[in-house]
Amino acid sequence: MNTQASIPSGSRSVSRVVKGQAVSDGAGVKLNRIIGQRDFDMLDPFLMLDEFRSDQADDYLAGFPNHPHRGFETVTYMLAGRMRHADNQGNSGLLSPGSVQWMTAGRGILHSEMPEQEDGLMWGFQLWVNLPARDKMTAPRYQDIPADNIPELEPTTGVALRVIAGRIDDVVGPVSGVATEPVYVDLSLQPGRAFDVPLPAGHNAFAYVYEGSASIGAGPAAKTVDRGGLAVLVEGDRVHVAAGDSATRLIIVAGKPLREPVAKHGPFVMNTPEQIVEAIRDFQSGAF
Ligand code: CO
C-alpha cells in the first residue's frame, strides 16, 4: 500500500526511544517501568508508565494492598486478566480485559488494587498523569469504563483503533473532564498497514509498542521500535505508524504539559516540598 501520499508535513518524529526497567512494586508485583525510572524521569504531564505482563502468578498475586495517592491521576488499562479495586470510601470495581479506570486522586484516596485471579495472564498498563496546581486538592473522582464503552474504529482494513480518551476524527473517547486534555488510543495494525494518528500539536506525546515492532514517524526519519520500546514523539499534529511483516500493537498517549514545579515522594506528587510534608502528615493522621 502506498503510504507516502498520506504523510502530512506536520507528522511527528521520534526524538528518542526509551526501554523500560524491571522493578518490583506494591507487595512484590513484577513490572516493567518505562516512564518514572532513572533514565526517563517524566514526560510532562506523565509521571509514570508501568507495563505489567506475566502468566506466572507469583509475579502478580501479592497485588497492591492499601496505599495512598495525592495530587495526580492513575490510569489503569487492562489487556488481560482481572483486577479488583477498592477504596476507603466504599468504592469498588472490577477491571476486566479491555476496560479502563481513570482515577483522579486529588486531595487523597487510600485504595487497594488486587488481582482477582490465581493463574493465567495478567497484562496491562498503569499511567500516572499529573494534575495542575489548582486541581491537586480536588475531590477524588473515578471514571470506570467497561470495555464495551470504548469506541473501536476500523478506518481501513487491517487498522483498528480503540479511543479511550481524546478525539480521532469524529469519534470521542469516553474519558472526560481531564485537565491535561489527554489523548489515549490503542492501535492495532496488521502486516503492511499504516495509519496517521492525529495528536494536538502542543501536547507532549509518546507511543509504546507492546506487540511486534512498528515503524514510527514519516519518511526517511521513521524509526523502527520493537516491543517494549517507548518512542517520544515531537513536533507535529499527527504521528505516522506502520507495521512491517508482522502485526503490531501500540498505545499512543498525549497530554498538555503543565510546566509547573514537581515535588514527588512515592505516591504523593505536589508542587513544593512543604506540600509533600503536609501530605505525609495528613496520611499518617488518617485524614485520607
Ligand atoms: Co494505586
Side-chain angles (χ1 to χ4, degrees):
M1 105 189 240
N2 179 8
T3 56
Q4 296 299 318
S6 66
I7 297 171
S9 56
S11 227
R12 287 187 183 231
S13 56
V14 176
S15 66
R16 64 180 288 202
V17 176
V18 181
K19 288 283 182 187
Q21 288 177 344
V23 299
S24 176
D25 207 340
V29 178
K30 287 190 181 152
L31 302 163
N32 187 33
R33 179 154 296 161
I34 308 109
I35 303 177
Q37 43 127 330
R38 192 184 55 234
D39 298 334
F40 193 46
D41 183 40
M42 66 178 283
L43 179 67
D44 186 13
F46 305 114
L47 303 159
M48 198 190 82
L49 175 68
D50 285 344
E51 180 185 20
F52 46 93
R53 184 181 75 153
S54 179
D55 56 9
Q56 303 296 309
D58 286 349
D59 289 347
Y60 59 73
L61 267 187
F64 301 84
N66 262 345
H67 60 276
H69 294 285
R70 174 181 279 183
F72 62 101
E73 307 185 273
T74 68
V75 181
T76 308
Y77 178 33
M78 295 297 289
L79 295 174
R82 298 187 310 156
M83 184 103 81
R84 170 71 62 183
H85 163 266
D87 76 5
N88 61 329
Q89 306 293 310
N91 299 300
S92 171
L94 184 65
L95 284 158
S96 52
S99 71
V100 169
Q101 181 190 65
W102 198 291
M103 183 190 82
T104 306
R107 64 178 171 248
I109 61 112
L110 188 58
H111 76 161
S112 61
E113 297 158 287
M114 300 297 291
E116 194 155 288
Q117 65 188 47
E118 288 173 357
D119 51 35
L121 178 64
M122 172 79 77
W123 191 7
F125 304 99
Q126 189 168 86
L127 176 71
W128 287 11
V129 184
N130 207 359
L131 283 168
R134 63 167 193 276
D135 291 340
K136 282 191 176 289
M137 294 298 276
T138 193
R141 175 189 180 207
Y142 293 95
Q143 299 186 63
D144 279 313
I145 300 156
D148 287 352
N149 291 9
I150 297 173
E152 284 197 35
L153 284 75
E154 197 184 326
T156 176
T157 307
V159 177
L161 203 59
R162 304 187 80 222
V163 185
I164 294 162
R167 170 189 285 273
I168 304 295
D169 299 330
D170 50 5
V171 175
V172 179
V175 172
S176 68
V178 176
T180 45
E181 297 165 28
V183 173
Y184 193 141
V185 302
D186 181 353
L187 175 66
S188 303
L189 297 172
Q190 292 305 307
R193 295 294 166 172
F195 189 68
D196 286 276
V197 180
L199 297 170
H203 279 30
N204 283 336
F206 67 84
Y208 178 72
V209 179
Y210 69 87
E211 215 168 84
S213 64
S215 165
I216 304 176
K223 279 203 172 79
T224 299
V225 181
D226 296 328
R227 187 201 128 65
L230 179 147
V232 179
L233 309 172
V234 292
E235 291 169 5
D237 62 1
R238 51 194 53 239
V239 60
H240 185 75
V241 184
D245 294 338
S246 54
T248 186
R249 297 183 72 186
L250 315 84
I251 52 170
I252 299 173
V253 183
K256 193 161 84 177
L258 296 171
R259 307 185 210 284
E260 292 177 349
V262 174
K264 206 162 35 160
H265 180 78
F268 309 123
V269 184
M270 304 300 290
N271 300 110
T272 68
E274 292 73 24
Q275 291 169 333
I276 292 292
V277 171
E278 184 183 42
I280 294 168
R281 202 172 50 218
D282 286 353
F283 171 57
Q284 286 173 345
S285 70
F288 277 41

